[in-house]
Amino acid sequence: MSISGITNIALSGVRAQTTRVGAIANNVANSSTPDYARLNTSLTTVASGGVQATGNPTASDVDPATELTNLLEAEQSYKANATVFETGADMWEMLMSIKRD
């Protein structure tokens, strides 16, 4: 796998977690809205590598504890993907400096 492939996969993970956090925020904001359908985010793998997030309305009620747990999980996943992306960018920078020398 190439460095650009790894960074693209990490970037897709960052985007997926951003979508997930948006759904969580929407759930919390609408928790007291009558007949609100809670958004559940599904993560699916993409054939070219990476992950994609889609929000699906469910009939369940919004539970603040579940939303907080999901938010903490999304935060950790975001951080992990951001670290991989930064490492890939550092590797590119190192390769470019070697090429210039």
Side-chain angles (χ1 to χ4, degrees):
M1 172 150 305
S2 67
I3 296 172
S4 63
I6 292 169
T7 55
N8 286 337
I9 290 171
L11 186 58
S12 75
V14 166
R15 287 182 182 141
Q17 296 309 320
T18 301
T19 300
R20 189 173 175 203
V21 169
I24 293 167
N26 194 36
N27 289 338
V28 171
N30 290 297
S31 62
S32 61
T33 303
D35 298 327
Y36 173 72
R38 180 183 176 274
L39 289 176
N40 185 30
T41 307
S42 301
L43 302 176
T44 54
T45 57
V46 179
S48 61
V51 66
Q52 182 178 10
T54 53
N56 306 311
T58 62
S60 64
D61 291 333
V62 176
D63 176 31
T66 300
E67 300 303 329
L68 180 59
T69 303
N70 290 341
L71 182 61
L72 292 172
E73 185 180 302
E75 176 189 20
Q76 293 302 313
S77 297
Y78 185 97
K79 284 180 182 179
N81 283 296
T83 300
V84 170
F85 184 84
E86 288 175 2
T87 302
D90 290 344
M91 291 172 73
W92 270 119
E93 186 176 323
M94 180 62 71
L95 285 171
M96 291 298 111
S97 70
I98 291 170
K99 184 177 178 182
R100 280 179 256 159
D101 291 340

